[in-house]
Amino acid sequence: MNCRTEEKQKIEELIDLAIRQLSFSYAPYSGFFVGAALECADGTIYGGCNIENASFGPSNCAERTAFFKAVSEGKRQFRRIAIVGGKDGKITEYCAPCGVCRQVMREFCGPDFEIILAKSKKEWNVYLLKDLLPESFGPEMLDGKK
């Protein structure tokens, strides 16, 4: 990824927070820990971790945890999210968001929302939501303008 030094530092800051969020993960069933750091349009950052449940359905991914924390505090505009994850909290591969998380992102973000998948602060890739969720269904579909 070729970007300005300021942008690179901001991305590395997000990745660092996402990595720290791994320690808060509650994953006694899968053992797969996920951390996320969501940057709002105003620069505010919210962290999130995955939270599992014995009946699985009520489990919540790190990405949705970060979004729901931000939305519950009145945030509605977002710039990007950094995501890390791995078995037993050890990051070995990139950890992409699940389909449900991608749809939640689409609810609040446009197609150019940035999704940073990282293995470390030095090893990461940036994707756009439109590339990870092509032909998506968004809120504008319901207002009759699309």
Side-chain angles (χ1 to χ4, degrees):
M1 169 96 195
N2 193 7
C3 59
R4 297 186 328 264
T5 302
E6 285 176 21
E7 264 322 272
K8 187 174 182 242
Q9 288 174 336
K10 189 61 156 180
I11 289 171
E12 288 174 356
E13 177 185 329
L14 283 172
I15 293 167
D16 185 56
L17 176 58
I19 291 169
R20 286 185 279 134
Q21 291 295 301
L22 288 171
S23 67
F24 300 118
S25 289
Y26 178 73
Y29 307 106
S30 72
F32 198 89
F33 293 58
V34 182
L38 173 66
E39 181 183 1
C40 301
D42 67 4
T44 307
I45 298 172
Y46 290 86
C49 65
N50 59 319
I51 305 165
E52 295 181 347
N53 187 285
S55 68
F56 296 107
S59 296
N60 202 52
C61 298
E63 301 90 314
R64 285 183 282 144
T65 299
F67 266 95
F68 295 162
K69 285 168 66 175
V71 170
S72 73
E73 293 190 20
K75 304 297 181 181
R76 296 293 189 276
Q77 296 181 346
F78 305 98
R79 185 172 294 140
R80 62 185 146 218
I81 190 167
I83 306 164
V84 299
K87 192 72 171 165
D88 300 320
K90 294 176 180 70
I91 304 167
T92 58
E93 298 296 326
Y94 294 111
C95 181
C98 74
V100 174
C101 287
R102 293 175 198 207
Q103 188 60 49
V104 168
M105 290 176 196
R106 182 63 181 86
E107 180 68 24
F108 296 102
C109 306
D112 292 329
F113 177 70
E114 294 180 355
I115 301 167
I116 303 156
L117 305 183
K119 291 184 188 180
S120 71
K121 288 192 332 184
K122 301 296 180 199
E123 198 173 358
W124 45 271
N125 293 310
V126 178
Y127 300 89
L128 297 179
L129 181 56
K130 67 184 173 188
D131 297 323
L132 296 183
L133 190 65
E135 301 298 325
S136 65
F137 185 87
E140 72 280 358
M141 304 294 226
L142 299 176
D143 67 13
K145 294 179 184 173
K146 181 125 178 145

